[in-house]
Amino acid sequence: MEDLKIEKEHLRETIAIIKEILQNEQMNLEKLYSEYLGSREELWSIADRKKIHIHNLESSLDMPYFARIDFTFEKDGKLQTIYIGKNGIMQNTDIIVTDWRAPISSLYYDSEVGHCSFISPEGEVPGNLELKRQYEINNGNLISYHDVDLVSTDALLQKYLNSNNDVRLKSIVSTIQKEQNEVIRRKLFDNLIIQGVAGSGKTTVALHRIAYLVYNYRDSIKQNQYLVIGPNPVFIKYISSVLPELDVFSVKQCTFEDFAQNYIGEEININSSDKKVTKSIAGKIDNDIDKFKSSMKYKVMLDQFLQVYFYSLTAKDFSLDDFTVLDSQAVKEVFDSTYTSKHISLASRIELTIEKLSRIIEDNIDSITSSFSDYTFQAFDNLHDPKEQDKIRKKIAKNREELHKFCKSSLRKYFAKAKIDATKLYKLFISSIENYDIFNYKYLKTLKKDTMQNIKNGCYDFEDLAPLVYLQQVIAPNSEYSKIRHVVVDEAQDLGEFNFFVLKNKNNSHIITINAIISICSAKNVCPLEILN
């Protein structure tokens, strides 16, 4: 009874402190709008952070913490009592409630009472766990508490597991088990595949891992540099309501279809998969085209096509009519030199190439015009028809003027075919796909026929999206998505190898590399790790 009295008093004191902090923060926010002298952008940024803090404080009033640990540090023998909550709370420099994502909080999830340690930024911290206590708090009132050894043995866990999914996902921070905590707290740079049957908590673990990473890597990765790929809009809507409860507000969330459309920057129609599923169940589909399009073999064929396409851009000499200004090898060398990173677009490379070639012409204008004079002399040789002479004379005058402008206009015409988007490039690939069939794929004719028919109808299958994103990555990388540092994929068994490759490849440049992909799947062997690494 004495312990209960002490715990109730501590809860009242904690709530009183939170109310005091909350009142001060609300007053500070009002003053900020009227007194801040910095830029408008800085004001909004500071105000947004304060609003998030106020939101966290308000939500903490109902349940400031859910656990307590008493830990004796081996180094100095000091005993510290730590209350753990969904959000950390500080008053001045005093920690009132420790965030569940803090390093020391891992003792609650991982350790039994007795000798143990936790990993801090400075290294391993050994000591002795004297007490592990769980609380049931509702509307600021202490209902009960239990001293436990392992989190998973507590009756509170069963209560949450038996509740509806929404309550379970929002409350699970108090009942995370040791194995789940190990996954949640894995290093940022680890690629993870979480496998389990339906309802086993894969999504719960993944979302809490995002919350953990957002908290512990906030100085190096912003919230909007995370991306969640979900299986359908219903799921996206659901997690968008859950993540704020985990103190996560700006993480991008979308289906792979939405990701593809946003990435290529084109409005495209995507065929419903329902008809395919119905036909497949009825046994009306006797090929593996969908699987083949989602494979890395299909990417290899695209690479073969792209090699030919890029070669074709500089395959001809650069000429004014039939006078060769620069041979194809010289043009190719300059074009190849413009590939400085995966983030550079084809359009930018073309502009750089034109500038460099124009300067080469300028630097060598004397020798080029001398050769052009010899060419004009030969053009008039044995030409006696006045009309033909006048026609040639006009062409020569026009080309001479172009030379003195260092051929920028003609160079743009030379590279005109390079102005292409992902859908047109994909159509070009499909129309000539038999030229790149290095695997002797037996359903290639059907693949070509069906895909070309879809393209003519202005639509694409889901399996065409990864190739389209890949082509966009090659010709014009999306700068918005290049900032993404961490990706979570739910229902990963719905995606193929090619899908995972483009999710990784969009960041895998000399400037930014993707740090991790969590794949949440209900089937085995859906995503080889070599695709992720």
Side-chain angles (χ1 to χ4, degrees):
M1 290 296 293
E2 184 65 26
D3 272 0
L4 179 61
K5 182 179 179 181
I6 293 172
E7 289 290 3
K8 285 186 174 181
E9 181 60 29
H10 179 81
L11 178 59
R12 281 194 293 270
E13 290 175 357
T14 302
I15 291 175
I17 291 172
I18 294 173
K19 287 181 178 178
E20 182 182 345
I21 298 171
L22 180 59
Q23 185 178 15
N24 289 336
E25 283 297 285
Q26 289 169 335
M27 289 174 59
N28 290 337
L29 180 61
E30 291 177 8
K31 288 182 180 179
L32 180 69
Y33 285 116
S34 60
E35 299 178 3
Y36 189 72
L37 301 177
S39 68
R40 186 182 297 270
E41 289 75 17
E42 290 174 344
L43 170 62
W44 288 339
S45 178
I46 297 171
D48 286 343
R49 288 198 296 271
K50 283 195 173 293
K51 287 177 182 177
I52 291 172
H53 188 209
I54 289 171
H55 169 83
N56 291 339
L57 289 169
E58 289 173 340
S59 63
S60 295
L61 288 173
D62 288 340
M63 187 175 71
Y65 47 81
F66 54 80
R68 165 188 165 184
I69 56 174
D70 291 355
F71 184 71
T72 302
F73 289 83
E74 188 175 285
K75 184 177 180 180
D76 56 12
K78 182 180 178 182
L79 175 67
Q80 186 172 347
T81 296
I82 300 153
Y83 288 85
I84 302 171
K86 286 172 65 176
N87 299 294
I89 298 171
M90 291 187 65
Q91 186 180 45
N92 300 321
T93 58
D94 296 329
I95 299 175
I96 309 302
V97 177
T98 299
D99 194 289
W100 71 274
R101 295 163 291 188
I104 197 170
S105 298
S106 64
L107 292 170
Y108 167 72
Y109 300 107
D110 293 342
S111 302
E112 301 177 21
V113 172
H115 189 268
C116 57
S117 64
F118 67 94
I119 304 299
S120 75
E122 291 75 31
E124 185 176 7
V125 181
N128 206 67
L129 185 60
E130 313 291 348
L131 175 73
K132 182 191 289 189
R133 179 169 290 177
Q134 290 180 323
Y135 302 96
E136 184 178 358
I137 298 172
N138 187 24
N139 292 326
N141 296 311
L142 178 61
I143 308 302
S144 64
Y145 68 85
H146 307 275
D147 290 345
V148 297
D149 196 354
L150 295 174
V151 175
S152 59
T153 63
D154 183 55
L156 190 60
L157 174 62
Q158 291 302 319
K159 176 178 179 180
Y160 285 132
L161 291 179
N162 291 331
S163 63
N164 64 67
N165 286 338
D166 188 52
V167 172
R168 185 192 311 175
L169 198 51
K170 292 180 181 180
S171 306
I172 202 69
V173 290
S174 62
T175 57
I176 293 169
Q177 299 171 59
K178 182 177 181 179
E179 294 79 5
Q180 294 173 322
N181 190 54
E182 288 175 356
V183 174
I184 290 169
R185 294 175 185 262
R186 286 282 291 272
K187 293 179 181 178
L188 176 65
F189 303 98
D190 290 345
N191 287 319
L192 301 177
I193 297 179
I194 304 174
Q195 295 186 157
V197 298
S200 58
K202 301 181 298 295
T203 299
T204 296
V205 171
L207 297 184
H208 283 74
R209 175 162 169 77
I210 293 176
Y212 170 79
L213 294 175
V214 164
Y215 176 84
N216 284 279
Y217 294 90
R218 55 190 178 275
D219 292 334
S220 56
I221 303 179
K222 298 177 182 178
Q223 289 197 26
N224 61 10
Q225 291 179 299
Y226 293 85
L227 172 65
V228 178
I229 300 290
N232 53 62
V234 175
F235 174 85
I236 297 300
K237 184 177 180 180
Y238 174 60
I239 65 169
S240 67
S241 67
V242 171
L243 284 175
E245 296 293 330
L246 298 174
D247 197 23
V248 176
F249 297 90
S250 305
V251 167
K252 296 178 182 293
Q253 308 142 40
C254 61
T255 63
F256 190 86
E257 291 91 333
D258 290 335
F259 161 74
Q261 292 207 51
N262 292 335
Y263 194 92
I264 66 174
E266 294 185 53
E267 287 291 334
I268 58 175
N269 296 316
I270 302 171
N271 292 326
S272 171
S273 299
D274 294 344
K275 291 182 179 179
K276 277 191 179 181
V277 172
T278 303
K279 286 183 179 180
S280 180
I281 294 173
K284 295 181 180 180
I285 297 179
D286 58 354
N287 59 61
D288 63 349
I289 290 174
D290 291 349
K291 183 178 179 181
F292 184 73
K293 280 185 173 181
S294 300
S295 72
M296 295 302 286
K297 287 183 177 180
Y298 199 56
K299 175 195 170 291
V300 170
M301 291 174 63
L302 266 174
D303 285 336
Q304 294 283 323
F305 160 74
L306 287 169
Q307 188 176 356
V308 173
Y309 174 75
F310 278 106
Y311 175 80
S312 71
L313 297 181
T314 58
K316 295 181 180 180
D317 295 338
F318 171 60
S319 303
L320 298 176
D321 290 327
D322 54 351
F323 171 70
T324 300
V325 180
L326 297 168
D327 61 39
S328 61
Q329 184 60 34
V331 177
K332 183 180 184 302
E333 288 176 1
V334 172
F335 177 69
D336 290 346
S337 72
T338 62
Y339 186 69
T340 54
S341 80
K342 285 186 177 181
H343 280 285
I344 189 168
S345 68
L346 177 58
S348 296
R349 290 184 65 192
I350 295 300
E351 285 301 314
L352 282 172
T353 302
I354 290 172
E355 288 296 325
K356 288 186 175 184
L357 292 175
S358 183
R359 284 199 296 269
I360 289 173
I361 294 170
E362 181 180 6
D363 293 342
N364 296 275
I365 192 64
D366 290 341
S367 61
I368 292 174
T369 52
S370 177
S371 297
F372 185 71
S373 296
D374 294 340
Y375 158 78
T376 59
F377 178 79
Q378 293 174 9
F380 278 99
D381 193 30
N382 299 321
L383 191 64
H384 304 292
D385 187 339
K387 289 184 179 180
E388 287 297 320
Q389 287 179 340
D390 186 57
K391 184 178 179 181
I392 293 296
R393 190 177 290 109
K394 288 179 180 178
K395 279 188 177 183
I396 289 173
K398 181 181 177 182
N399 289 337
R400 183 177 286 111
E401 183 181 359
E402 183 67 8
L403 279 173
H404 286 293
K405 292 179 180 179
F406 314 122
C407 298
K408 280 193 176 181
S409 177
S410 296
L411 283 167
R412 294 192 190 285
K413 291 179 182 178
Y414 176 88
F415 284 107
K417 67 178 295 185
K419 293 182 179 180
I420 195 167
D421 54 38
T423 52
K424 290 179 181 177
L425 196 57
Y426 190 55
K427 181 179 179 180
L428 190 60
F429 165 66
I430 295 296
S431 67
S432 58
I433 194 170
E434 60 274 359
N435 296 330
Y436 314 104
D437 184 23
I438 60 177
F439 302 105
N440 296 316
Y441 182 55
K442 63 179 179 179
Y443 299 116
L444 191 70
K445 288 185 178 179
T446 304
L447 185 157
K448 178 177 180 178
K449 177 184 175 183
D450 292 349
T451 307
M452 285 301 295
Q453 186 60 51
N454 277 338
I455 292 174
K456 288 179 181 178
N457 293 334
C459 56
Y460 299 86
D461 288 336
F462 176 84
E463 294 72 26
D464 296 310
L465 299 181
L468 284 169
V469 172
Y470 181 61
L471 291 174
Q472 186 67 30
Q473 290 171 344
V474 171
I475 61 174
N478 188 305
S479 60
E480 177 186 354
Y481 282 97
S482 68
K483 298 174 184 176
I484 299 296
R485 300 288 300 280
H486 189 96
V487 181
V488 174
V489 181
D490 194 79
E491 298 297 344
Q493 71 274 8
D494 296 341
L495 304 184
E497 293 174 321
F498 205 170
N499 300 85
F500 280 97
F501 180 85
V502 298
L503 284 172
K504 176 181 184 295
N505 190 55
K506 66 186 173 51
N507 306 318
N508 194 12
S509 72
H510 298 295
I511 302 172
I512 301 175
T513 58
I514 193 166
N515 287 323
I517 296 179
I518 300 181
S519 309
I520 316 161
C521 49
S522 301
K524 294 183 178 180
N525 303 321
V526 297
C527 179
L529 279 174
E530 57 264 25
I531 299 298
L532 304 180
N533 293 324

